[in-house]
Amino acid sequence: MKYTLLFLALILLSCNNKSQQTDTDTETDQIVKPITIDAKKADYLYTFAYTCIDQEYPNKLGQVLGDSTYLKTPKELHPTFYGCFDWHSAVHGHWTLVNILNTYPDFKEKDEIIKKLQATISKENILKEIEYFDDVHNKTFERTYGWAWLLKLAKSLKESNIPELNELDKNLEPLTQLIESKCIEFFKKLNYPIRVGEHPNTAFGMSFALDYAENYSPELAKVIKERAKAFYQNDKGCPINWEPGGFDFLSPCLEEATLMLKVLPKEDYLTWLDQFLPGFREQPAQYISPVEVVDKTDGKMAHLDGLNFSRTWCLYQIGKALDNNKMIALANTHFNDSYSKMDTGEYAGAHWLASFALHALKAGK
């Protein structure tokens, strides 16, 4: 009787261990799907960009004044990108509308959106934008954040199946070429990368520009890949636990990791990533979690919602490339945390966050 009970106990223990092992395996192997764009989200996000791309005020110009004649209205200075509080936000507001139409060609507000885009991205307006960049005092205007978004917009117009948007690409092309040349010149002469969590971040600018350059500018693509390796290939132990800074909307560590994903072969990238972010592939949630915005009326603090979205697109891109479900799950958590709080009515975030949310969703496709 004693041996019979012992035998039954061993069987039960074996079954329990097998069950636990199966549960663990299921948790590990479970496929996690990224959050992607759908018609409801498109309908929600378009309103932010549609409202602001021709909303001139409030406005932050960020210009250098050569003399008193430089004191003009935003629309006089930037007849294409004068809305959404500042130039770069106007650019990615345009990008948002273009990408909604590219995703949903029969979008219910299609005609109204196209009319707005045709009014801003005209040949005459683009020549005026170029004139501003040619000014001796403003040659570095929007370097490199606004430049990168301009190339993103150009890419989306070029790849559209909507004839009206292809025509707008032709209007934009002179400015696209100017920005392309500025990127090549700047990246060639830049000795040290800029590693902050805001607009000048070099890895972000290179990553976005490379998305455009891979198909449309072999010279720019070559420069970016060469300089990215020179800047980042020997980096180790990125202090991701120091993030975020109080005003960050980009993760310096993840932006760099995303750029290098596009630059290195996969096997080389795995070796590099494990030295750059040791342990991150195995347990990413131990290193970062969604951030909280305390005051959404404060334009700088509102950056942190953007950080949740930019982390999302980085985690999606890396997680999908490496079949890493933990990264994708963490990306979903970051996205949901800020997406659920976007509609606060505060212009500090409303003028730009839709583009970050949409880019995150597109990265999940």
Side-chain angles (χ1 to χ4, degrees):
M1 181 68 178
K2 178 173 68 174
Y3 293 109
T4 301
L5 291 173
L6 178 60
F7 179 70
L8 290 172
L10 288 172
I11 291 175
L12 288 171
L13 179 60
S14 175
C15 291
N16 186 49
N17 286 340
K18 184 176 181 181
S19 174
Q20 289 179 349
Q21 184 65 40
T22 301
D23 290 344
T24 303
D25 289 344
T26 301
E27 180 182 350
T28 302
D29 297 338
Q30 181 182 6
I31 296 175
V32 180
K33 294 183 179 180
I35 300 167
T36 56
I37 185 71
D38 57 34
K40 183 178 180 180
K41 290 185 180 69
D43 189 51
Y44 174 66
L45 292 174
Y46 108 91
T47 58
F48 295 94
Y50 183 81
T51 300
C52 83
I53 66 163
D54 56 358
Q55 179 177 327
E56 190 170 6
Y57 298 103
N59 200 294
K60 182 180 180 181
L61 286 173
Q63 68 181 133
V64 175
L65 300 177
D67 54 49
S68 62
T69 65
Y70 284 65
L71 295 171
K72 298 176 181 178
T73 67
K75 193 172 182 179
E76 288 175 309
L77 293 167
H78 301 292
T80 300
F81 303 119
Y82 62 87
C84 297
F85 188 70
D86 49 35
W87 192 89
H88 55 256
S89 298
V91 174
H92 49 83
H94 282 71
W95 175 90
T96 300
L97 296 176
V98 168
N99 277 272
I100 286 172
L101 293 185
N102 285 348
T103 306
Y104 293 99
D106 297 322
F107 190 70
K108 62 183 180 66
E109 304 295 343
K110 176 182 177 179
D111 292 343
E112 287 73 16
I113 290 174
I114 287 177
K115 286 178 184 176
K116 275 203 179 189
L117 295 176
Q118 288 172 332
T120 54
I121 311 178
S122 68
K123 291 180 180 180
E124 296 76 19
N125 288 350
I126 292 301
L127 291 177
K128 191 71 176 177
E129 294 282 356
I130 290 173
E131 181 181 321
Y132 188 91
F133 277 98
D134 281 340
D135 175 69
V136 65
H137 298 292
N138 291 284
K139 289 183 179 297
T140 63
F141 179 67
E142 289 288 349
R143 186 180 69 188
T144 53
Y145 180 79
W147 297 0
W149 273 109
L150 191 282
L151 294 180
K152 273 284 193 182
L153 172 60
K155 179 177 185 291
S156 296
L157 289 171
K158 290 179 187 301
E159 295 173 357
S160 178
N161 293 318
I162 300 172
E164 293 92 337
L165 298 187
N166 299 144
E167 287 299 313
L168 295 182
D169 173 55
K170 294 176 184 177
N171 294 347
L172 185 67
E173 185 65 17
L175 181 57
T176 303
Q177 291 299 314
L178 177 63
I179 295 301
E180 183 183 318
S181 65
K182 283 181 175 291
C183 285
I184 291 170
E185 178 186 10
F186 178 64
F187 291 143
K188 278 184 175 180
K189 71 181 180 181
L190 185 66
N191 274 343
Y192 311 102
I194 301 160
R195 301 177 184 270
V196 298
E198 294 188 88
H199 305 86
N201 183 279
T202 303
F204 168 85
M206 283 185 160
S207 185
F208 265 37
L210 184 57
D211 291 343
Y212 163 86
E214 285 283 24
N215 290 322
Y216 304 107
S217 178
E219 183 182 1
L220 178 57
K222 182 174 181 288
V223 169
I224 290 173
K225 290 175 181 179
E226 288 176 351
R227 300 308 293 153
K229 290 176 183 177
F231 289 153
Y232 304 122
Q233 194 157 13
N234 295 322
D235 284 358
K236 297 178 181 178
C238 192
I240 197 166
N241 59 308
W242 290 8
E243 298 181 17
F247 296 158
D248 284 357
F249 61 88
L250 301 170
S251 162
C253 291
L254 291 183
E255 289 297 335
E256 181 176 336
T258 304
L259 171 63
M260 295 306 282
L261 175 69
K262 301 173 183 179
V263 169
L264 296 175
K266 184 173 181 178
E267 289 305 313
D268 293 346
Y269 179 73
L270 289 172
T271 300
W272 178 87
L273 182 64
D274 288 342
Q275 293 179 336
F276 182 66
L277 289 171
F280 189 79
R281 275 204 294 150
E282 291 75 24
Q283 296 295 336
Q286 289 186 4
Y287 296 88
I288 58 171
S289 58
V291 295
E292 179 185 359
V293 180
V294 176
D295 183 0
K296 292 182 182 291
T297 68
D298 186 309
K300 282 287 193 176
M301 290 186 177
H303 278 180
L304 291 172
D305 273 324
L307 177 62
N308 280 337
F309 291 135
S310 67
R311 280 181 174 178
T312 298
W313 74 55
C314 290
L315 290 167
Y316 277 159
Q317 290 180 66
I318 300 170
K320 287 167 60 182
L322 304 184
D323 295 320
N324 190 308
N325 290 323
K326 291 180 179 179
M327 287 191 191
I328 294 172
L330 185 59
N332 289 347
T333 302
H334 275 78
F335 181 86
N336 285 329
D337 194 81
S338 280
Y339 189 76
S340 63
K341 305 168 186 173
M342 275 185 62
D343 196 9
T344 62
E346 297 295 344
Y347 198 57
H351 76 273
W352 64 282
L353 281 173
S355 56
F356 269 53
L358 182 58
H359 192 267
L361 292 167
K362 283 176 63 65
K365 288 182 64 176

